[in-house]
Amino acid sequence: MTFKQQIHPQFSHTEVDLRVGCLGYMRHFQDITTQHLLSVGKGNDLIPYTYGICWIVSKYHLVILGRADVKQALTAETWIEPEKSKVRLHPGFRISAGERTLALGQMELCLAHVDDGRIALLPEIEFPFEMCEDPGIERPKTRKLRFAEDGLEHVYSRRVCYSDLDNNRHMNNLKYVNVAIDAFSSDFHAEHPVRELELEYLGQCREGETMDVYRTIGDDHADVLVRNGAGDTVLKAIIGY
């Protein structure tokens, strides 16, 4: 069984054309995945205090098949795929309007010790592996992103502020989505609507740090790289259009 929720898009979920796109779908992706883990007592509301461990998103892959408007009633569903690894999980995701699929995705989650950032194992939080299943829904797969970093164009710099932070006091993973999307103007997005988004998180940013955003633009996709103040790469993104 997949974990399902009914969604009624709000204007806050839409983009400049008043339709739900990449940013709104990513928000719903994280929300329903979070609710799924909360429903079995393994969410970030409890495990940091019970085990001293928290969830960290390491990868996203989203494919957009259609855009929704605020008049549409949507169904969001998620599931956790069967795993051989004791280090990571791969929740799947689908949003549909009736029989029509609008978005599909996969996330990669791992665990880290709150005090020192060491990787933790799923058995350390007594994760219920019996909830993992394959519902037979076709979905994209996360992967390690590789692209040339030479010749990237510096687009802008951005300072990490209080409203960017999550409960681990790092920049929230969804805030990086905005950072990557904002590497392009509204005119560019109007001509090249996002149809696919892949993200790989390679580091974390904290309040007060300045991020530098770089890009290269190709015929059917763009590569985005984000570095922190020390010059370390914290995010790679591939945006397909």
Side-chain angles (χ1 to χ4, degrees), residues 140-159:
K141 300 288 187 179
T142 58
R143 59 176 178 145
K144 186 174 182 60
L145 302 186
R146 292 183 172 87
F147 54 76
E149 298 186 17
D150 296 335
L152 291 166
E153 169 194 7
H154 183 265
V155 186
Y156 72 101
S157 299
R158 185 186 185 285
R159 185 172 177 269

Side-chain angles (χ1 to χ4, degrees), residues 57-92:
V57 178
S58 50
K59 296 182 180 73
Y60 276 114
H61 191 170
L62 176 74
V63 172
I64 298 171
L65 304 173
R67 304 279 300 280
D69 61 38
V70 294
K71 298 178 181 179
Q72 287 182 279
L74 307 178
T75 299
E77 55 188 317
T78 188
W79 61 93
I80 298 177
E81 299 175 12
E83 295 287 345
K84 295 180 180 179
S85 171
K86 297 296 189 291
V87 177
R88 60 185 61 85
L89 291 179
H90 290 94

Side-chain angles (χ1 to χ4, degrees), residues 38 117 124 128 134 144 153 155-157 194-195 197 205 210 235 237:
L38 291 175
E124 293 183 60
D134 182 356
K144 186 174 182 60
E153 169 194 7
V155 186
Y156 72 101
S157 299
V194 177
R195 303 186 187 279
L197 176 67
C205 287
T210 297
L235 179 76

